[in-house]
Amino acid sequence: KLDVDHAAWVMSLCFISKRECEECGIMVGPMLVTGSGDKTVKVLVADQEAEGGLKVAATLHGHTDIVVHVCAARKPYAGYLLLASAAVDWTVKIWRSEKPGDPCSGWVCESQLMDATSGGRLGTPVDFHPTMPECVVSAYRQVVKVWRLVPGEADVDVVAGAELTR
């Protein structure tokens, strides 16, 4: 049994296996990210003493409705770990670890990619490109938006969104 300490149902989860980033040498994972009906995202990290082998390292607050999708970048950008979460509140948020490669250091909501005025929709799927600093979001009315994340000295900024339609 694994207690992720959410106050409502877990709606989405993402597992990151243990591996070393080839570019920066930072060891990532194992890590579990969950999104819930309690409007939060939780980051769990390995802990052999914890029940289920994982402990809650951080609880991310910022959504105003159910979090229905979470994902994690497969590799760090500028050394920082990145997560994305999408909620019924029409937002997609990009979260960055406060310290390079450290999921226990705390997390900052770095960017909000979408809101009700930018074509978001309920239950927006979101994912990171496996090797490029890009995030793809399914938007409203058969539109997919690709966002390029540009690492700076200590942050990641969303600088452009491209729409792909059928």
Side-chain angles (χ1 to χ4, degrees):
K1 179 183 178 213
L2 177 63
D3 183 6
V4 294
D5 197 32
H6 278 293
W9 289 92
V10 171
M11 305 300 290
S12 179
L13 53 88
C14 173
F15 183 77
I16 299 91
S17 59
K18 185 176 182 178
R19 66 185 179 284
E20 183 177 356
C21 176
E22 295 172 5
E23 292 178 14
C24 62
I26 291 174
M27 189 61 72
V28 177
M31 191 167 70
L32 179 68
V33 181
T34 61
S36 171
D38 65 7
K39 308 172 193 172
T40 67
V41 174
K42 298 231 183 223
V43 179
L44 294 91
V45 296
D47 183 346
Q48 293 182 357
E49 295 181 13
E51 185 177 358
L54 293 170
K55 70 174 182 178
V56 176
T59 301
L60 314 183
H61 299 274
H63 287 290
T64 59
D65 211 330
I66 299 168
V67 177
V68 292
H69 194 86
V70 294
C71 68
R74 291 157 190 84
K75 67 174 197 169
Y77 293 111
Y80 293 90
L81 304 176
L82 296 178
L83 304 174
S85 59
V88 177
D89 63 8
W90 298 72
T91 63
V92 173
K93 296 182 183 292
I94 303 293
W95 306 87
R96 172 185 53 80
S97 61
E98 287 186 0
K99 293 182 182 174
D102 185 0
C104 297
S105 67
W107 292 81
V108 175
C109 180
E110 192 63 43
S111 301
Q112 182 170 297
L113 300 184
M114 301 181 77
D115 59 32
T117 62
S118 65
R121 70 178 172 95
L122 302 179
T124 298
V126 59
D127 201 3
F128 288 97
H129 189 281
T131 60
M132 301 287 292
E134 295 177 346
C135 186
V136 63
V137 177
S138 169
Y140 189 61
R141 297 192 179 106
Q142 301 174 331
V143 173
V144 173
K145 293 187 177 186
V146 180
W147 298 88
R148 168 125 329 155
L149 307 169
V150 180
E153 289 183 6
D155 62 353
V156 178
D157 296 322
V158 177
V159 296
E163 293 187 9
L164 306 174
T165 59
R166 62 179 186 138

